[in-house]
Amino acid sequence: QDFLDPEQVARVAGSTGFDVVLDKGTYDAICLMPMEDGSVDQKAIDVYPESVARSLADDGVFLITSCNWTEDELVRRFKDHLELFDRVKHTTFAFGGAVGQTVVTVAFKKQPAA
């Protein structure tokens, strides 16, 4: 199935959806995937959050681990479909007065239906 096709995702997830969807690098790979002309596939980047949301059960959780995006960036990218639920704390390091981490893991829940 094509996870970048929300309709196919909805069919695979069925009427109830999945309780948990895990992403350990998929979104990172999609965001870095070059098109034939070398540009980034913005459509795929934009469709992925919708596909994830459509695959989740109403109370399902999406857990994403990224080494390319910060928590704030992931929240901004998924905010139209999912809301921040929790985060996993990873080891941090300090450099040049800033504190950061090399990986981020964030849990999202589906936004309540309007």
Side-chain angles (χ1 to χ4, degrees):
Q1 300 296 321
D2 183 356
F3 203 76
L4 295 176
D5 180 339
E7 295 299 320
Q8 283 189 31
V9 169
R11 278 195 302 277
V12 170
S15 60
T16 58
F18 298 112
D19 294 328
V20 177
V21 173
L22 302 173
D23 176 326
K24 188 174 178 288
T26 302
Y27 190 61
D28 288 351
I30 289 169
C31 292
L32 297 171
M33 180 175 57
M35 295 180 60
E36 288 181 23
D37 65 0
S39 66
V40 188
D41 189 349
Q42 191 63 47
K43 181 178 181 241
I45 292 168
D46 294 341
V47 157
Y48 185 78
E50 178 186 353
S51 289
V52 169
R54 292 191 66 175
S55 72
L56 285 172
D58 287 341
D59 60 348
V61 174
F62 172 55
L63 190 65
I64 181 170
T65 297
S66 174
C67 60
N68 291 332
W69 305 108
T70 65
E71 179 180 321
D72 290 341
E73 289 170 325
L74 289 172
V75 169
R76 277 195 308 274
R77 289 176 177 266
F78 286 83
K79 71 179 179 180
D80 291 341
H81 303 283
L82 303 166
E83 58 188 26
L84 179 64
F85 175 65
D86 207 348
R87 65 195 50 80
V88 174
K89 293 186 181 204
H90 292 282
T91 303
T92 60
F93 65 94
F95 181 78
V99 177
Q101 55 194 44
T102 57
V103 66
V104 62
T105 302
V106 184
F108 291 96
K109 285 198 123 185
K110 192 183 247 186
Q111 292 178 348

